[in-house]
Amino acid sequence: MDSRISAIFHVVSRVREFISRVIVGNAQAIDILLSTVIAGGHSLIMGPVGSGKTTLARALAKAIGGSFSRVQMSNETLPSDILGFVVYTRDGSAKIVKGPIFSNVVLLDDINNAPPRTLSALLQAMQEGKVSLDGNVLDLPNPHIILATLNTTEPELGLLPELSPAFLDRFMSSINIAYVGRSDEKRVIVSSYRIDDVLSSNTTESAITPADLLNAIKVVRDVYVDDVLIEYLMDIVNEIRKDDRLAVSVSTRASISLYRLSQAYALLNGRNYVIPDDIKIMAYPALGHRIIIKPEYRDVVKPMDIINESLSRVPVPR
């Protein structure tokens, strides 16, 4: 194993171990989140009420250190509640009041409660790592990770509008969290006090530092992806684009996300090169939230079905 890859592998393994002490029975969700973070992306955490979405986000923030902010989204949340605002004093000078977006890790809880205007205000921050306040363009801290939780129960009941494709496309990955099985649920119940203490205590030591994370993000770029595998990745995405059941075509940003997540997942498994299985595994978190199905097909097909069909039709490189 390459020495740099080995060093970063051990750094990321410490984060994985830390989060695993808090999140029980969702190892795949942890790996997807870590892959997203070291690939420099943002993640949408989806699941029913009380399935551990917020806990996963808080555990990541504790594990990597740095500053952390949480915003509980509602239909009254304004852009200024997240980005901040400018105050003008009596002498005419301007004072910038920075919002929670200026933390290293930002948790936007129940993102599907937020009004469209507020979601639109987040696009610059998610894409460029910058925020504009009254004509002032401000850089966000680095690393900067936006984690948004999406409650899938209410949209399924028709109580909330769906998020726009343009906003969903800004998330590098989506993570689906379901209720854990009986044995894992028992472990969660017994460990609930300890988990609360880990997440709420100011004395809990993080697994790594923000500087360690920045180093990992740099190393991911050097993970080798053979040209044959890039063609394989593109074939998967193009196969999905050809599906007549899609209301919106899958973007080039989706292909880039799959490429970077595959690199990160390879590193997460101690390799400095990508294999076909990395692409196949990361296809679900990279593409699932970007697949918008036409209304007439939504009762009979899900995004995962379309990804499954695409993977089965595209030959795997040998």
Side-chain angles (χ1 to χ4, degrees), residues 107-183:
L107 171 59
L108 305 176
D109 233 345
D110 293 329
I111 192 72
N112 42 343
N113 285 328
R117 179 188 173 198
T118 300
L119 297 180
S120 297
L122 291 167
L123 295 181
Q124 183 186 18
M126 298 179 73
Q127 186 64 31
E128 302 175 17
K130 301 178 184 294
V131 165
S132 296
L133 294 178
D134 199 23
N136 300 287
V137 180
L138 307 175
D139 290 325
L140 292 170
N142 199 16
H144 186 254
I145 306 156
I146 293 178
L147 304 176
T149 67
L150 191 153
N151 172 10
T152 58
T153 303
E154 291 174 344
E156 287 173 357
L157 296 175
L159 301 178
L160 289 173
E162 296 178 346
L163 297 172
S164 71
F167 183 69
L168 289 171
D169 201 38
R170 265 43 179 209
F171 290 98
M172 179 175 285
S173 71
S174 58
I175 303 171
N176 287 283
I177 296 184
Y179 294 126
V180 296
R182 184 180 179 90
S183 60

Side-chain angles (χ1 to χ4, degrees), residues 34 180 210 213 226 264 274 315:
L34 289 181
V180 296
L213 178 57
D226 192 87
V274 170

Side-chain angles (χ1 to χ4, degrees), residues 224-225 229 232 262 265-266 271 273-280:
Y224 176 71
V225 187
L229 291 182
Y232 174 59
S262 300
Y265 190 71
R271 283 180 278 104
Y273 58 90
V274 170
I275 61 175
D277 280 350
D278 297 328
I279 297 172
K280 291 164 71 174

Side-chain angles (χ1 to χ4, degrees), residues 41-42 64 73 76 99 120 123 129 135 140 163 165 170 183 200 203 223 243 263 270 298 306:
H42 310 294
I64 67 173
M73 307 295 273
E76 297 180 350
S120 297
L123 295 181
L140 292 170
L163 297 172
R170 265 43 179 209
S183 60
S200 61
T203 60
V223 174
D243 199 307
Q263 289 179 298
R298 291 180 186 175
I306 291 178

Side-chain angles (χ1 to χ4, degrees), residues 70-85:
R70 174 185 177 185
V71 180
Q72 181 63 51
M73 307 295 273
S74 74
N75 58 4
E76 297 180 350
T77 302
L78 299 174
S80 58
D81 294 331
I82 302 173
L83 306 183
F85 50 90

Side-chain angles (χ1 to χ4, degrees), residues 248-261:
V248 180
S249 181
V250 178
S251 70
T252 300
R253 190 181 285 116
S255 302
I256 294 171
S257 293
L258 179 52
Y259 177 85
R260 294 180 179 181
L261 283 171

